[in-house]
Amino acid sequence: MTEISERHRKRSHMEYRSLMNRLKRIEGQIRGIEGMLEKDAYCPDILIQVSSVNSALNSFNKELMASHIRGCVANDIRNGDDEIIDELVKVMQKLMK
């Protein structure tokens, strides 16, 4: 199980809506793949849709990571908390597996 931090971040309404809209589209893509399976769709067609979901998740991660760096990381460094750099490196290593 993944460890969840006790830290929180208040997001702007615009950032929240953008991230949530991406997740809702991804959710719709997943439902579409479920439907393809139920209808016995051809394997390569399903694989292409799964690839689209992976790409969408990567785009979500890029947007969230950029926001994290510009907000949390920058603020912590400005406040003298360099431990955030180690945390960022660990997160990036996990994302780049």
Side-chain angles (χ1 to χ4, degrees), residues 4-55:
I4 297 177
S5 172
E6 294 294 321
R7 296 180 69 180
H8 297 288
R9 172 158 186 239
K10 183 71 177 158
R11 290 176 179 80
S12 71
H13 179 72
M14 193 168 90
E15 178 185 2
Y16 173 82
R17 290 296 334 142
S18 177
L19 291 169
M20 193 58 85
N21 286 340
R22 285 182 181 270
L23 287 178
K24 294 296 183 184
R25 283 192 298 272
I26 293 166
E27 181 181 28
Q29 289 176 298
I30 296 293
R31 276 193 250 103
I33 292 169
E34 289 174 348
M36 293 175 79
L37 277 174
E38 290 168 354
K39 295 175 184 169
D40 296 324
Y42 190 51
C43 296
D45 294 337
I46 296 171
L47 290 167
I48 288 168
Q49 291 305 311
V50 170
S51 178
S52 293
V53 170
N54 284 332
S55 179

Side-chain angles (χ1 to χ4, degrees), residues 1-4 94:
M1 185 173 173
T2 304
E3 184 179 319
I4 297 177
K94 288 180 181 182

